[in-house]
Amino acid sequence: MKQGDIYEVYLDPTIGSEQSGRRPAVIISGNLVNKLVNTVIICPLTSKLKNYHGNLIVKPTKQNGLPKTSEVMTIHIRSISKERLRKRYGSLNKSEFNQVVESLNKIIKF
């Protein structure tokens, strides 16, 4: 599992407004961390497009393997156990991944 890879994840159980259920998610943690620890940092995707400012909208391609156009929900970033990862869909391209990072930077900026 590498940075930028998209996996099907199981996020239940959740509390409150956390993203839940079975859904695609992109791994954003770095490759070295992904090798060394039993968790990964992800951003879940949703096919119910919200068009939140700065969120990446990803159309299905052979590279990403997504079944539907999806939005990367950067506001719902979280660390999960690798046990929650199921099948690998594919990966974002470098430009798309950079857009996710840009969106995350805006969220954490002072």
Side-chain angles (χ1 to χ4, degrees):
M1 52 202 68
K2 295 181 181 174
Q3 187 178 63
D5 282 353
I6 301 171
Y7 275 84
E8 179 181 55
V9 299
Y10 290 84
L11 298 177
D12 292 334
T14 57
I15 297 173
S17 297
E18 296 172 344
Q19 288 293 298
S20 63
R22 188 178 85 183
R23 64 180 59 248
V26 61
I27 296 175
I28 61 168
S29 47
N31 292 333
L32 182 59
V33 171
N34 295 339
K35 284 182 184 177
L36 297 176
V37 298
N38 292 324
T39 58
V40 291
I41 302 171
I42 57 101
C43 288
L45 280 71
T46 182
S47 59
K48 294 178 181 156
L49 304 182
K50 314 247 190 284
N51 290 301
Y52 290 155
H53 179 74
N55 280 357
L56 173 67
I57 306 295
V58 186
K59 295 186 182 210
T61 65
K62 193 173 185 176
Q63 180 180 339
N64 65 38
L66 292 170
K68 297 179 181 178
T69 299
S70 301
E71 184 171 353
V72 180
M73 303 295 289
T74 50
I75 197 72
H76 288 285
I77 182 176
R78 69 188 271 195
S79 176
I80 63 170
S81 168
K82 289 179 181 176
E83 293 176 38
R84 290 186 182 267
L85 300 175
R86 298 297 188 241
K87 75 173 185 171
R88 182 181 181 274
Y89 284 107
S91 63
L92 296 178
N93 65 42
K94 190 168 183 72
S95 173
E96 291 168 331
F97 186 79
N98 287 340
Q99 288 180 49
V100 173
V101 171
E102 201 173 295
S103 180
L104 288 166
N105 282 334
K106 289 176 184 174
I107 291 170
I108 62 171
K109 206 174 205 179
F110 253 133

